[in-house]
Amino acid sequence: MRWKDQIKSLAPYQPGKSKDEVKRQYGLEEIIKLASNENPFGCSKKVSEVMSKETGYFALYPDGYATNLRECVAEHVGVTKDQLIFGNGSDELILIIARALLRPGFNTVMATPTFPQYKHNAIIEGAEIREIPLVDGHHDLDQMLAVIDEKTNVVWVCSPNNPTGTYIPKKKLESFLARVPKETLVVLDEAYFEYVVADDYYNSVELVEQYSNLIVLRTFSKIYGLASLRVGYGFASKEIIRALEPVREPFNVNSFAQLAAIEALGDQEYVENCRTLNHQGLEQFYNFCKEHNLSYMPSQGNFILIDFKTDGNEVFQFLLERGYIVRSGNALGFPTSVRVTVGSKEQNAGIIEKMSQYMQVKAH
């Protein structure tokens, strides 16, 4: 087989251990997974109710235009229906953009560390990758601008950024967008948008109206609690959407995902409640870090990156053996840290107790 050279050394995505696997390995009765930034409260009851009643979709293809969902999202976001594109999660939208714009002879710019699928897809397409290190956990927008040239086709900006939870304030982002060449597409990944509470966060709908080279990505996998159904969306100018649509696979968002997303979108009271509980949960972790003099990054997402000043794998393993699955910072570009998804108040208290035990063990 004559495989692309660039995929020969490219590792596939490695999902974390399943709960059942961890239970068997360590003889545990209960596992709390706080590793993948899922909503610990699940989805809205409205979603569960409507899904339990619908069973007639199996033999029919889904609506390839996502007509009903498109109308709901357009109204909710404040864009026109032809400014939207839907994906099998926002992961697929990243793939679509990379496939449409990246190729040998051109380059793409991104921060590092950030969401790894930007780089993964760029490698597959054979594009040159220009990574700019974060500064104190934040995008170095000036340096990103400095490496953009006439061959830069895509710039990726994740705000709030995964894995740091940091965001880009309104004035800084506007200044950045104003200086990016118009022929370069800026992808603003807002997977954690609904969790943001910062006063100086930007309005990306207004930015799309102002900048014709900007696309914004969002997902139903996080605060809406629909990660297993895989549905995301992007909004941009009609011209950008029209150019990307031929790359999108037909029927890429299944019928159940479309139905669930409509119901989830309609329950903004649930979203607001989850945002409030998440903010309270972050405060639990901030207090733990302050008590133990641990460095952390204030987060606008539903996760926190905590620096234990030791091997992140060691902290990961200690927590795993006690029934808590987190993400080691070794795989995220922060080898002395772990990233913990914010859970329920009880889940947070439980893992904080185990992390406190770890600190006691290390002290001796």
Side-chain angles (χ1 to χ4, degrees), residues 1 23 46 92 120-121 141 201 297 347:
M1 298 290 181
K23 282 181 181 180
K46 292 183 179 181
E92 188 193 24
H120 185 94
N121 283 286
L141 297 179
Y201 197 71
M297 294 185 188
Q347 290 172 340

Side-chain angles (χ1 to χ4, degrees), residues 39 42-49 72 76 194 220 223-225 259-275:
N39 188 337
C43 62
S44 163
K45 289 183 179 179
K46 292 183 179 181
V47 174
S48 301
E49 289 170 0
C72 291
H76 175 73
E194 291 85 1
F220 284 89
I223 207 167
Y224 289 104
L259 180 67
I262 290 170
E263 293 299 319
L265 200 63
D267 193 353
Q268 288 301 307
E269 183 179 348
Y270 179 76
V271 172
E272 178 63 34
N273 185 52
C274 289
R275 178 166 47 245

Side-chain angles (χ1 to χ4, degrees), residues 85 92-101 244 247-248 252:
I85 185 170
E92 188 193 24
L93 297 175
I94 294 168
L95 183 152
I96 288 171
I97 292 166
R99 189 176 183 187
L101 283 166
L244 290 175
V247 187
R248 180 181 64 83
N252 62 328

